[in-house]
């Protein structure tokens, strides 16, 4: 049973007050899942669900800005999603393009696309490149927007870059293979130079990562939330942060 609104606001304020800023994650990744199921519940179209999900993204980034979360990575569109029927994919790509315009106007984050951009329609790829330039000086969180993203593809692309650079420099492939390190791969990921995610959140009740940040999430904490993404509330986010703060991170030790 949902809490009466005054009680809900009191509960939200209490959660906020209990959070220790020193124990908040620096990098939060979110699999924004459940848009289609949300639309189905209301007898709405799939496009309506994606529009509601896009609106939630803007709201969520505002919460991250308020809490001084430094880096946010949102899984928006996977490489597998690009294989959806055109009747569903084309409206979704248009909604993503509109979201880019909204983020540019809002000025609440710096945007960096992460993914195989060459797989995207040229118009959307150009839109993402333009957004990166326009938001470069913005304050607020650094937003990695994963569009046309696949975790396996990211690792393949990183290894390909390592090999290409080595061969261009005249290196011996056998010596390269012997000396290849974790750092060599990390330095060629889409998120190179950024901290690995401390906390990964997936909405909609699904408990899998679906290839999201496979390399970077080796020591991340996971939080699975039942709420569908358009229904994800600030209090749900605060609960995830409280849960994260209560954990003892071991980093494999």
């Amino acid at each position: 049973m949902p809490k009466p609104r005054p009680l809900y606001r009191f509960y939200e304020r209490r959660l906020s007050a209990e959070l220790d800023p020193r124990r908040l994650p620096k990098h939060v990744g979110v699999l924004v899942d459940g848009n289609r199921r949300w639309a189905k519940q209301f007898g709405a179209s799939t496009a309506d669900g994606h529009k509601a999900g896009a609106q939630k993204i803007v709201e969520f980034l505002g919460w991250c800005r308020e809490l001084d979360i430094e880096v946010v990575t949102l899984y928006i569109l996977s490489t597998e999603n690009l294989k959806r029927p055109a009747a569903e994919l084309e409206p979704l790509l248009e909604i993503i393009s509109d979201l880019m315009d909204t983020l540019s106007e809002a000025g609440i984050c710096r945007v960096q696309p992460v993914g195989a951009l060459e797989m995207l329609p040229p118009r959307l790829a150009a839109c993402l490149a333009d957004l990166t330039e326009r938001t470069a000086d913005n304050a607020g969180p650094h937003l990695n927007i994963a569009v046309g993203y696949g975790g396996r593809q990211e690792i393949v692309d990183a290894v390909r870059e390592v090999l290409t650079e080595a061969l261009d420099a005249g290196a011996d492939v056998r010596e390269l293979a012997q000396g290849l390190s974790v750092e060599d791969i990390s330095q060629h990921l889409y998120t190179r130079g950024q901290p690995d995610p401390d906390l990964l959140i997936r909405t909609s009740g699904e408990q899998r990562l679906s290839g999201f940040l496979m390399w970077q999430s080796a020591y991340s904490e996971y939080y699975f939330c039942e709420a569908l993404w358009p229904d994800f509330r600030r209090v749900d986010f605060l609960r995830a942060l409280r849960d994260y703060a209560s954990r003892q991170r071991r980093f494999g030790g």
Side-chain angles (χ1 to χ4, degrees), residues 138-202:
N138 286 354
H142 179 102
L143 171 63
N144 297 313
I145 189 158
V147 180
Y149 176 87
R152 291 178 175 177
Q153 187 63 48
E154 179 178 24
I155 295 170
V156 168
D157 287 346
V159 172
R160 183 181 291 120
E161 284 190 19
V162 172
L163 291 172
T164 300
E165 289 179 5
L167 291 172
D168 288 346
D172 180 81
V173 175
R174 188 175 297 275
E175 290 181 3
L176 172 64
Q178 291 296 324
L180 190 66
S181 68
V182 168
E183 288 73 24
D184 290 328
I185 305 298
S186 295
Q187 290 168 7
H188 291 82
L189 297 171
Y190 301 149
T191 58
R192 67 195 73 177
Q194 300 179 24
D196 288 338
D198 302 297
L199 173 64
L200 291 184
I201 300 171
R202 181 166 190 159

Side-chain angles (χ1 to χ4, degrees), residues 103-125:
L103 291 177
S104 177
E105 293 169 4
I108 57 175
C109 59
R110 299 179 300 280
V111 179
Q112 174 183 335
V114 293
L117 300 186
E118 68 278 3
M119 296 178 65
L120 298 176
R123 180 172 174 272
L124 180 57

Side-chain angles (χ1 to χ4, degrees), residues 8 13 22 38 60 62 80 85 125 128 135 137 238:
Y8 173 87
R13 287 196 298 269
R22 296 169 298 179
W38 181 89
F60 177 76
E80 289 76 16
L128 287 165
T135 62
D137 296 325
L238 294 174

Side-chain angles (χ1 to χ4, degrees), residues 218-234:
Y219 300 114
S220 300
E221 299 293 326
Y222 303 149
Y223 184 87
F224 300 104
C225 177
E226 291 295 326
L228 302 175
W229 174 247
D231 288 331
F232 190 71
R233 304 164 300 174
R234 189 171 187 270

